[in-house]
Each structure stands twice: as C-alpha cells, then as structure tokens.
C-alpha cells in the first residue's frame, strides 16, 4: 500500500477518489452536460496522475438529487444509455476504468415503479463490467426501488471489486457479503451529508479492518439548496489505516496505490487478525487441544441470521417488537410515510 506518488506498477492498482460538488440539475440536457463534465475531469486527472487505473465518482454526481419526483422519473437513465456512452468515450480516451453513479436507473416497469439507485464499473474499453443497484436506500427520504444482491468483478490488474452505495455501508452485512465472495476492494460511493461526518469516516476504516479489505470512498461536497455534503473521500488500507483522505473541498482528489499481491499474501498468511478465515474456523486452537476438528467450528453461531433466512416475516415481527411497527413515526411525521397502523376490515 503506497500513498503520496502519482505512479503505479504491475502489482499496484492506482485508485483515485473524487470529492465531486453536488450538482443541482432539472432536465435531461443538464444531466448530459454534467456527464460530459465528468468525462472531461476523468481525462484531465489521467494527465496529472499517469498511474491512475481506476477513478471513482460519488453517488448523485451524474444526476444530482432530483427533489421533484416528476424530474426524477423524466431524467432516469437506461443502462446502457446516453450517459454511459459519454463515460465510455472518456474511459477509452484516457485508458482508465471508472465507477459512475446513475440516480436513477429506470425500473423494468418504468414509470409504474420507482427507479433504482445504480452504480456501474466500466473498463478502459468502455464496457460495463458491473452494474449494482443500491440494496438499502436511505429511507425515509430516498424513494429508490431497492436492489437485491451484491457482485464481485475482476477489475484492473485483476483486483476483485465490489460496489456499494452510501447507506448500504451502515450495515455490516453488506461489507461481509462482498468480502466473503472474494472482494479485495470495496468501493462505497456516497452522497452523504452533515451531521453524520464523523460516523461515516469511522465506518469506512472499521469495515476495512474487520473484513481485511481495501476500501475506496467517494463522497459529494457543497450545498445543493437542501443538504450540505461533507466530502472526505478516502482510500483505506486493508489494515484499517487511511492512506489518503480529502477534506471538505469541492472537486478534491485523493490517490493511492493498492498492492494486489500484498492483500492476497495477508489473507493467506495473517493469523490473529485474519477475520475472514477465523469466522469459519472458530476456536481452532481449542478444538485442536481437545482432540476435535483441527479446523475449528464452521457452523454459524448467530441465531438471528438463521431466523432471518428461514422466516423473514417472523423476523421482521421480532425486530418490530423492540423497535416500532410502522415505517413512520407520529412524533416526526414525513409526508407520504405512514405512521399509524392501518385499519383492518
């Protein structure tokens, strides 16, 4: 893991993250003009960072947040589509991979159902390698239709990459799901606003440590008339230490080199802090000393997960028993979100 240079090598993946200023857009023409601006920025960054293999732009960087529902549906993109064509041309010209936000992507039943909040991983030939739909939209504010799975794809120099989006990252399950599928770099694109800066900076480092995984975070900055975004785009090593972190500056950039061989060596040879290995080899020292299985215990000891998989509705009722039974709260009502139990006939 290296930070402070502009280079890379056959072993080190050069990754850049961008503090993109949150745009305020209203029409398809404005969205496409902003997409071209992103493409131009990518090409310019490659001139200054010749080792850059992958650049990451934040959630909402392409479309901004469409607070008007009509505008949100009218500007929703298709994948592939006009926006991805612009990004593809830039990736080919710069010979760089990119991660781009599409908020939103049209639902298969558009316009009868809400759009998805989508990220794409695009290679240096302009081909879409991974399309991820946000599993945990930021309710009650975000109205995106939820996605249902994570992915791992071979990225530049063979590094295995998973994409997650903003509020996804507040749930440890998604980080573990990606890591246990073999992800070596988890990219979290976010449009996160105050007041949660401290928590979000902390969680990226914590999840990198707990999952023995590189983390790249790209976050929005600026004020869009509703929220103020805190930036702090960062690149974190698989030992939980930050390699580089932006401040709150608009259009700030951080860059680091992530060794492919180093993380693979660590996952193979680390012992006391090899969290991925130890999770499925529980207590092997004790079982060896007891004359039992030399690989420890593989069975999942966490009853919640077994219950959730086998009885999702029953598990929902269990959680409601110590939280609440309505999606909204009567003490802080939000328009359109029910906060009273429905009357049953």
């Amino acid at each position: 893991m290296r930070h402070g240079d502009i280079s890379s090598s056959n072993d080190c993946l050069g990754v850049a993250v961008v503090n993109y200023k949150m745009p305020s857009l209203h029409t398809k023409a404005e969205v496409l003009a902003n997409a071209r601006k992103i493409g131009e920025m990518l090409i310019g960054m490659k001139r200054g960072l010749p080792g850059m293999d992958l650049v990451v732009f934040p959630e909402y960087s392409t479309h901004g947040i469409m607070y008007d529902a009509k505008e949100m549906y009218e500007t929703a993109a298709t994948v592939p589509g006009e926006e991805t064509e612009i990004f593809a041309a830039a990736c080919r010209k710069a010979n760089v991979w990119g991660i781009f936000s599409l908020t939103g992507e049209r639902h298969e039943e558009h316009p009868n159902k809400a759009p998805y909040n989508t990220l794409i991983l695009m290679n240096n030939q302009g081909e879409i390698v991974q399309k991820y739909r946000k599993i945990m939209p930021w309710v009650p504010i975000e109205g995106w239709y939820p996605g249902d799975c994570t992915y791992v794809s071979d990225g530049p120099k063979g590094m295995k990459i998973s994409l997650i989006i903003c509020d996804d990252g507040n749930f440890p399950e998604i980080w573990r799901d990606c890591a246990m599928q073999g992800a070596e770099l988890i990219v979290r694109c976010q449009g996160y606003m105050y007041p949660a800066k401290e928590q979000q900076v902390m969680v990226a480092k914590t999840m990198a440590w707990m999952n023995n995984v590189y983390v790249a975070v790209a976050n929005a900055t600026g004020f869009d008339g509703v929220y103020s975004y805190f930036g702090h785009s960062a690149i974190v090593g698989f030992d939980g230490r930050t390699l580089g972190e932006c401040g709150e500056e608009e259009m700030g950039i951080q860059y680091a080199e992530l060794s492919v061989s180093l993380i693979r060596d660590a996952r193979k040879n680390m012992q006391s802090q090899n969290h991925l290995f130890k999770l499925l080899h529980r207590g092997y020292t004790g079982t060896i000393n007891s004359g039992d299985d030399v690989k420890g215990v593989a069975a999942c000891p966490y009853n919640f997960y077994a219950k959730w998989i086998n009885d999702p509705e029953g598990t929902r009722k269990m959680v409601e028993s110590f939280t609440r039974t309505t999606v909204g709260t009567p003490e802080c009502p939000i328009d359109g979100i029910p906060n009273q139990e429905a009357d049953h006939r």
Side-chain angles (χ1 to χ4, degrees), residues 148-170:
D148 59 7
C149 63
T150 62
Y151 304 91
V152 178
S153 303
D154 288 338
K157 295 176 178 170
M159 184 166 283
K160 298 184 181 301
I161 297 174
S162 286
L163 309 180
I164 67 172
I165 303 175
C166 204
D167 200 33
D168 283 336
N170 292 320

Side-chain angles (χ1 to χ4, degrees), residues 28 39 48 64 72 75 91 138 164 186 225 266 288 293 342:
K28 187 72 167 182
M72 181 181 80
T75 58
C91 288
W138 191 59
I164 67 172
I186 299 177
I288 290 170
D293 193 336

Side-chain angles (χ1 to χ4, degrees), residues 3 17 20 69-70 89 94 102 122 137 149 169 176 190 196 214 247 249 260 266 287 295 305 308 311 319 322 334 342:
H3 176 258
V17 292
Y20 200 80
K70 182 174 181 290
L102 295 165
M122 179 174 282
C149 63
R176 189 72 88 194
Q190 57 191 54
Y214 291 119
E249 70 276 8
V260 178
T287 61
K295 290 193 173 185
Y305 291 106
W308 188 5
D311 182 17
V319 172
F322 55 84
I334 295 175

